[in-house]
Amino acid sequence: MPHAVSPESSPGPDETMISRVDVNAMEDEEMLDANDDAEEDTPPSSNPVPEADAASQEKTQLEAMFDDDDDDFPSSNEAPAFKPSATASHADPEVMKVFYQRLFPFRYLFQWLNHSPTPSNDFAHREFAFTLQNDIYLRYQSFTTADLLKKQCIAQNPTRFEIGPVYSTNPRDRKTLRRAAAFKPLTKELVFDIDMDAYDEIRTCCTGANICHRCWSFIKMAVKVVNTALEEDFGFKHVLWVYSGRRGIHGWVCDKKARELDDSKRRSIANYMDLIKGGDSSGKKVNIRRPLHPHLDRSLRILRDNFISDILKEQDPWQAEDKAQHLLSLLPDKQLAASLAKKWESAPSRSSSNKWADIDTLASSGGGSNTLDTRKLLEAKQDIVLEYTYPRLDAEVSKHLNHLLKSPFCVHPKTGRICVPVDPSKIDDFDPFEVPTVTELLKQIDEWQEAHKDEDKDSSRVQDWEKTRLKPYVDYFRLFVGALIKDEQGGKRRREEGAETMAF
């Protein structure tokens, strides 16, 4: 299955599973359903809470939410011992099971999706979709707490799981509704998917699923442009970028106003960001009006330096004759293009940097053309810069509320790398090849415990992820979630105060 699941490729409302789930898995699911029902049926307290006490309680809950002492998810000292062998693979089900037991930050994932210190329908009505070890795809899973999600991950041991929207009712109960139309998606983060294979026609170093440091620059450029537009043009404050674990990156816009966008508004934002048109065989892929929209003008300023260093020097995109012919086809003056072609034929090894400079050199001397329009030439060069640097988004991912996307901190099934959050302000420093693998992390836990075996019992309170190279990524995620919840709580308080003032 792809890491992003489109509505068109997803099962219909009555198709929970693709393929057959074994008896044990069904028993696990029923057990979790019973737990869900038990929690949902718990009656509320009959004693009203005074307003002052309620405010104090909310503050206490918010502080406790970020307390390092996590009794719900105990340290690895209480988890079953497991030491992967030197040849252990991330595809080993036992490795994945221990990863869910000891390393996956379920608590912070819950807080991220719940938007509140106390359990709410933002989490309880959220769809999760599991890809099991034998490629069974299990949809419409839901959980009231982080602990229940963790239990099912340990019991069913998915190779990964995706996150979908918050529905109008618990996704597990959708078949009990009298009207199918009553089950509908309400909210979900606005998401973006940038995949390296979209750049295959312009990158010269790798193709397909392969990446290297040279072509990873395309992803860095994309994050800079999209993140800036989301913040400056739309006013979003909480944008989470997550490495896909292999060849791309996902963006989650988590602001409340983004989560509440309907499909038409999501399409508008996706179209606003989408610039590159046409497939591999098409000619000119950037056709924009002048004067430039402020977003595109700003994008050019952001990308100009990258075009020189990462495109002309590192990718050398027009070194091959057929690629050089494509460049010439993008120039508006045919006589200038003919003069350049003649020059390059006499120097077939001429670099892309020199070929780019040749355009201005010949143009300044007339270029053998009587009709050279310097303004049109400048515009054409701007279009070329954008064609080779502007983000190539999978726009369909962003357009639909019911789209599913792989969860942060999953393990990529091909590489074994963790899908870690990435700070967009430090995107230039992010190295996908330095992202830890699941087997590496499990070994680091054992190494940490061996190094601290003679210390007092306080060391047993250290969470397993804190003993590994996963720590800076979880720390960043924790801070992101804290800022998001602070804004959510502040906005809720302002709305309540405003309603009271209007009522008075």
Side-chain angles (χ1 to χ4, degrees):
M1 296 294 295
H3 56 252
V5 184
S6 66
E8 291 77 16
S9 64
S10 302
D14 294 330
E15 296 175 314
T16 303
M17 295 172 290
I18 295 177
S19 186
R20 179 178 60 86
V21 178
D22 60 69
V23 175
N24 292 334
M26 290 298 292
E27 290 174 350
D28 290 334
E29 180 180 338
E30 291 170 0
M31 175 188 72
L32 290 169
D33 278 337
N35 290 339
D36 287 349
D37 293 339
E39 290 199 16
E40 290 171 357
D41 292 340
T42 302
S45 172
S46 59
N47 298 323
V49 181
E51 290 184 10
D53 291 346
S56 175
Q57 185 181 44
E58 181 181 349
K59 181 179 179 182
T60 301
Q61 289 172 332
L62 192 57
E63 291 174 349
M65 185 177 62
F66 294 103
D67 186 359
D68 284 332
D69 293 334
D70 195 343
D71 295 329
D72 292 335
F73 303 109
S75 174
S76 62
N77 293 331
E78 301 174 35
F82 173 77
K83 292 187 178 183
S85 67
T87 58
S89 165
H90 60 272
D92 184 341
E94 190 66 22
V95 169
M96 288 300 301
K97 188 170 185 177
V98 177
F99 170 72
Y100 288 125
Q101 287 176 320
R102 304 175 69 170
L103 284 168
F104 194 99
F106 288 100
R107 184 183 187 187
Y108 300 127
L109 187 82
F110 166 80
Q111 293 165 1
W112 172 49
L113 298 175
N114 190 60
H115 315 115
S116 171
T118 54
S120 70
N121 285 343
D122 278 6
F123 190 81
H125 289 184
R126 174 80 70 159
E127 178 189 0
F128 293 84
F130 285 38
T131 301
L132 305 184
Q133 297 286 341
N134 48 1
D135 286 337
I136 291 174
Y137 192 53
L138 186 64
R139 282 200 61 183
Y140 300 111
Q141 303 302 289
S142 60
F143 311 92
T144 54
T145 66
D147 194 35
L148 289 174
L149 172 60
K150 179 179 181 179
K151 285 179 180 177
Q152 180 150 329
C153 284
I154 294 172
Q156 296 191 322
N157 200 12
T159 56
R160 68 162 186 264
F161 61 89
E162 279 105 13
I163 297 171
V166 178
Y167 280 93
S168 52
T169 190
N170 190 320
R172 291 180 185 266
D173 299 334
R174 70 197 182 284
K175 291 184 179 180
T176 66
L177 300 175
R178 291 185 177 181
R179 294 186 304 109
F183 180 67
K184 58 184 179 181
L186 299 179
T187 64
K188 198 200 70 167
E189 296 76 10
L190 173 66
V191 295
F192 294 90
D193 182 11
I194 307 169
D195 208 318
M196 188 66 79
D197 57 8
Y199 294 86
D200 277 357
E201 64 175 345
I202 58 174
R203 60 174 174 157
T204 59
C205 49
C206 306
T207 58
N210 298 317
I211 65 167
C212 67
H213 288 113
R214 289 165 58 195
C215 56
W216 184 255
S217 296
F218 287 112
I219 303 296
K220 294 180 180 179
M221 289 184 273
V223 170
K224 291 176 185 178
V225 169
V226 175
N227 196 74
T228 301
L230 291 170
E231 292 180 348
E232 296 187 9
D233 299 345
F234 296 96
F236 296 129
K237 296 168 59 180
H238 304 286
V239 185
L240 180 70
W241 290 97
V242 181
Y243 171 49
S244 71
R246 191 180 193 183
R247 62 187 179 194
I249 199 162
H250 302 152
W252 301 73
V253 187
C254 306
D255 303 56
K256 185 178 179 65
K257 63 180 180 180
R259 303 197 308 267
E260 294 177 343
L261 293 171
D262 59 24
D263 279 359
S264 65
K265 293 183 176 66
R266 290 170 191 261
R267 281 194 298 271
S268 296
I269 294 177
N271 291 335
Y272 179 88
M273 297 285 190
D274 197 20
L275 179 66
I276 310 298
K277 306 294 183 181
D280 292 356
S281 60
S282 60
K284 198 171 189 294
K285 293 182 172 58
V286 175
N287 294 279
I288 49 181
R289 297 177 181 177
R290 263 54 181 198
L292 285 175
H293 186 281
H295 162 60
L296 296 178
D297 185 59
R298 181 188 59 223
S299 297
L300 275 171
R301 294 196 303 272
I302 292 172
L303 298 167
R304 188 175 291 118
D305 290 342
N306 292 99
F307 178 73
I308 300 299
S309 60
D310 298 319
I311 304 302
L312 295 184
K313 294 182 179 179
E314 292 295 329
Q315 290 296 326
D316 197 7
W318 307 309
Q319 203 281 326
E321 184 179 352
D322 60 326
K323 300 296 185 181
Q325 287 298 320
H326 175 67
L327 171 61
L328 294 174
S329 72
L330 300 176
L331 300 178
D333 191 286
K334 300 307 176 186
Q335 291 180 331
L336 174 63
S339 298
L340 289 167
K342 185 176 181 180
K343 180 179 179 67
W344 297 345
E345 285 174 7
S346 64
S349 61
R350 197 161 181 78
S351 71
S352 295
S353 295
N354 288 333
K355 288 176 179 176
W356 184 250
D358 289 341
I359 297 174
D360 285 341
T361 302
L362 265 68
S364 62
S365 63
S369 173
N370 299 324
T371 58
L372 181 63
D373 186 328
T374 55
R375 181 182 60 82
K376 287 186 177 179
L377 179 60
L378 174 61
E379 293 174 355
K381 290 186 67 179
Q382 290 175 336
D383 291 352
I384 292 167
V385 171
L386 290 171
E387 178 174 331
Y388 283 82
T389 59
Y390 190 84
R392 299 189 171 211
L393 306 173
D394 185 349
E396 294 304 311
V397 171
S398 307
K399 294 179 180 180
H400 303 287
L401 181 62
N402 61 343
H403 196 96
L404 294 108
L405 197 62
K406 184 168 56 180
S407 171
F409 294 103
C410 279
V411 176
H412 194 286
K414 298 294 184 183
T415 65
R417 297 193 187 279
I418 312 300
C419 300
V420 295
V422 181
D423 184 348
S425 69
K426 300 178 181 177
I427 187 64
D428 282 331
D429 300 325
F430 179 77
D431 184 348
F433 298 101
E434 289 298 315
V435 173
T437 64
V438 60
T439 51
E440 175 189 345
L441 294 175
L442 294 179
K443 291 175 183 177
Q444 287 174 356
I445 294 175
D446 294 331
E447 291 168 358
W448 188 96
Q449 292 183 173
E450 179 65 24
H452 295 80
K453 62 182 179 181
D454 296 328
E455 296 182 7
D456 55 35
K457 291 185 178 180
D458 286 343
S459 63
S460 65
R461 302 299 301 172
V462 179
Q463 296 298 301
D464 282 332
W465 54 264
E466 295 180 278
K467 305 169 185 175
T468 71
R469 288 206 301 122
L470 196 60
K471 184 179 187 305
Y473 303 106
V474 178
D475 284 342
Y476 172 77
F477 186 56
R478 176 182 176 177
L479 291 173
F480 178 91
V481 172
L484 174 64
I485 292 182
K486 183 178 179 180
D487 264 14
E488 293 274 335
Q489 297 299 304
K492 180 180 178 182
R493 192 174 299 112
R494 286 190 296 272
R495 288 192 297 273
E496 291 173 349
E497 291 172 353
E500 291 174 1
T501 302
M502 292 180 68
F504 174 77

